[in-house]
Amino acid sequence: AAPWVGFGSGKVILLGEHSVVYGHPALAGPLSYGVTARAVPAKRCYLSLPGTLGRAQRNLLTQAFQRAAVLCGSPPVKVTLESELPLSMGLGSSGALAVASTRVLLKASGRDDSPEAVARLALEMEQEFHGTPSGVDHTTSAQQKLLLYKRTAGQSTGKVRILKSPRPLKMLVALVGDRSPTKHTVAALRARQARWPERYTRLFKQIGTLASEGAKAVEQGDLEALGDAMNVNQGLLAALGLSSPPLEEMVYRLRGLGALGAKLTGAGGDGGAVIGLFLEPEPAVAKLLELGVRCFTSQLAGPRAL
Ligand code: PMV
């Protein structure tokens, strides 16, 4: 009953960003932080946005929301959003927003709000933001599970394999610099791939293999093997031209602090998020916070301490 609440988690890609766009598998997991949407009955169906947003952003969000509201068959409700995620840093804030909004609209409509139904409709919102994403963001957010995702050719949906981790998967997430829009990074890579298809296809395939090997390592509880796959993936992302000095510096910093593996996550470019897999991330996070680095930890999967 009202008020209805819907949550969409942020996400990190552990292995396989970019190559996932070309149909190779990616390993992704949910953050404990995300976007919460709340809905209360109202005279008309609308998204209430903070006055601080610019006009272009308001219009985009409103348009995406109205599309979702129609598709969800929503009754007239007022929806408010609350985000714990930094925007545009490769942590899936737009996917989380789409999932939270869709989930709350489906709940208010009394319709099926299973992860699959949410993912299917959240995609419609994501498309307003991103054009044709691989689908890994909103799928991970809707499932809220660690998973291996493989895109169906040309679509923003694909095959999902939920993974169980016998060991806690603790990730340190650090934010560096400013990021260029994912759309630009993806398009620039597309141009290089079109010019030298064999070279780039070879690298994408290798990254896809790392993602599959990483999934196996997770299921076997072999965090050292997962960390190594992350390090190798970082090298391949650099080879693809997706890394930069600020991202590299943070990657080496996290490794220096004891990460089993560290890499950029998401689109890459001039800045964004870097992840490090740690057995015990707390001392590293304390050290980084002391140095003024924006960072946090999140357990992506595995048994949780009581
Ligand atoms: O939303 P981001 O910045 O985390 O990037 C998504 C990952 C990409 O593989 C680069 C794009 C996509 O559509 O999967």
Side-chain angles (χ1 to χ4, degrees), residues 71-185:
L71 289 165
C72 293
S74 173
V77 285
K78 168 187 167 178
V79 173
T80 49
L81 299 171
E82 200 181 296
S83 175
E84 306 155 320
L85 290 173
L87 298 178
S88 305
M89 288 304 269
L91 299 178
S93 55
S94 74
L97 185 151
V99 164
S101 312
T102 305
R103 189 163 267 151
V104 87
L105 289 170
L106 286 173
K107 280 188 179 169
S109 319
R111 301 227 331 236
D112 173 17
D113 66 342
S114 64
E116 292 73 25
V118 170
R120 216 167 23 247
L121 287 164
L123 163 65
E124 303 283 336
M125 271 187 96
E126 264 288 81
Q127 279 173 336
E128 295 274 343
F129 304 136
H130 282 313
T132 48
S134 69
V136 67
D137 273 35
H138 73 273
T139 303
T140 309
S141 179
Q143 291 285 350
Q144 244 181 291
K145 296 252 163 58
L146 184 77
L147 50 85
L148 193 68
Y149 176 85
K150 192 167 188 286
R151 177 184 199 176
T152 306
Q155 311 251 329
S156 295
T157 59
K159 270 198 271 180
V160 173
R161 189 156 77 80
I162 308 268
L163 302 171
K164 277 220 168 69
S165 173
R167 293 178 67 187
L169 218 67
K170 294 183 185 175
M171 209 58 82
L172 191 159
V173 183
L175 305 176
V176 282
D178 289 322
R179 211 171 73 124
S180 28
T182 297
K183 229 189 237 180
H184 296 178
T185 320

Side-chain angles (χ1 to χ4, degrees), residues 11 13 17-18 20-21 90-92 133-137 179 182 186 266-267:
K11 69 91 200 30
I13 299 179
E17 48 273 275
H18 286 285
V20 70
V21 172
L91 299 178
S134 69
V136 67
D137 273 35
R179 211 171 73 124
T182 297
V186 170

